[in-house]
Amino acid sequence: AWRFMAHILIVDDNIAFVLAISESLRFRGYTVSSASDGVEALQQADKSAPDLVLLDIEMPGMDGFRFCQELRSNPRFHAIPVIFMSVRSDLADKLAAYEVGADDYLVKPFDMLELSARLQAVLRRSARQNAADRERALQLEAQADQAAQINNTDKPAEGAQLQNARVLEVRGLRLYLDNALVESELGEA
């Protein structure tokens, strides 16, 4: 089974529920922290960003929907997976959760084996997405380095044609880009 030492933040105002879930998750190898409402959860996330959030809907102060919106609006936390867990089983609540950014939704009570399977699935998807994002960032960084190297070479004489290059002027800065690079990025043939 796929697993890494993930940090799970449980956000629920039912202390007995939080203790039971925490104990079970720790037994399965996860690091666990908890908060009893959305405001406390945002403070917890700010101290130590979790790998995944298990989130109740009904809590004092900031409810789960509002917390999820706040989390998703913060560039630092927007990609953290969120699994809602609630006694609310009607479709409207499930759809509202997905609308604010839920990755999954469990109806309480649930079996710990199901929670464990869903945690692993969501964390696996998140890890793949993070890897793809890192790969894309490395590609863009390499392209920027290549453009910088081209731009740092001697500028061609006035009126000279650059072979296999496209000139792009941005805010007065002239960039010399490789045609193949531009075509692959713009989808030109």
Side-chain angles (χ1 to χ4, degrees), residues 45-111:
D46 199 40
K47 286 184 209 170
S48 176
D51 297 305
L52 184 139
V53 176
L54 291 175
L55 180 63
D56 189 21
I57 294 174
E58 296 180 38
M59 296 178 292
M62 183 186 296
D63 70 7
F65 295 128
R66 183 73 184 138
F67 168 80
C68 193
Q69 288 174 323
E70 292 289 324
L71 194 74
R72 295 291 184 233
S73 69
N74 185 325
R76 185 170 163 221
F77 305 127
H78 76 276
I80 295 173
V82 175
I83 298 177
F84 273 81
M85 48 184 192
S86 177
V87 295
R88 295 183 183 182
S89 61
D90 58 307
L91 182 60
D93 288 316
K94 292 177 184 178
L95 293 176
Y98 287 117
E99 189 173 309
V100 296
D103 293 283
D104 204 347
Y105 192 106
L106 275 167
V107 176
K108 294 177 186 175
F110 48 79
D111 188 280

Side-chain angles (χ1 to χ4, degrees), residues 14-180:
N14 181 331
I15 295 171
F17 176 79
V18 169
L19 290 174
I21 296 295
S22 296
E23 183 178 321
S24 181
L25 292 176
R26 284 187 183 106
F27 178 76
R28 287 171 167 76
Y30 296 102
T31 301
V32 179
S33 59
S34 63
S36 60
D37 65 50
V39 173
E40 184 184 349
L42 287 172
Q43 292 169 348
Q44 287 275 351
D46 199 40
K47 286 184 209 170
S48 176
D51 297 305
L52 184 139
V53 176
L54 291 175
L55 180 63
D56 189 21
I57 294 174
E58 296 180 38
M59 296 178 292
M62 183 186 296
D63 70 7
F65 295 128
R66 183 73 184 138
F67 168 80
C68 193
Q69 288 174 323
E70 292 289 324
L71 194 74
R72 295 291 184 233
S73 69
N74 185 325
R76 185 170 163 221
F77 305 127
H78 76 276
I80 295 173
V82 175
I83 298 177
F84 273 81
M85 48 184 192
S86 177
V87 295
R88 295 183 183 182
S89 61
D90 58 307
L91 182 60
D93 288 316
K94 292 177 184 178
L95 293 176
Y98 287 117
E99 189 173 309
V100 296
D103 293 283
D104 204 347
Y105 192 106
L106 275 167
V107 176
K108 294 177 186 175
F110 48 79
D111 188 280
M112 277 307 299
L113 291 174
E114 181 181 10
L115 174 61
S116 183
R118 289 181 185 227
L119 280 171
Q120 288 181 32
V122 170
L123 287 168
R124 192 171 37 247
R125 277 193 308 269
S126 178
R128 280 194 301 261
Q129 183 61 49
N130 289 342
D133 290 346
R134 280 191 303 275
E135 179 64 28
R136 181 71 182 133
L138 288 173
Q139 288 173 353
L140 291 173
E141 189 176 310
Q143 291 171 0
D145 288 346
Q146 184 181 11
Q149 287 174 353
I150 292 170
N151 289 323
N152 287 334
T153 61
D154 292 334
K155 292 186 179 176
E158 191 66 33
Q161 292 285 343
L162 286 176
Q163 289 188 337
N164 297 321
R166 188 172 292 185
V167 178
L168 174 67
E169 195 156 332
V170 180
R171 294 186 181 149
L173 178 65
R174 184 171 279 185
L175 303 172
Y176 301 96
L177 302 174
D178 183 275
N179 268 336

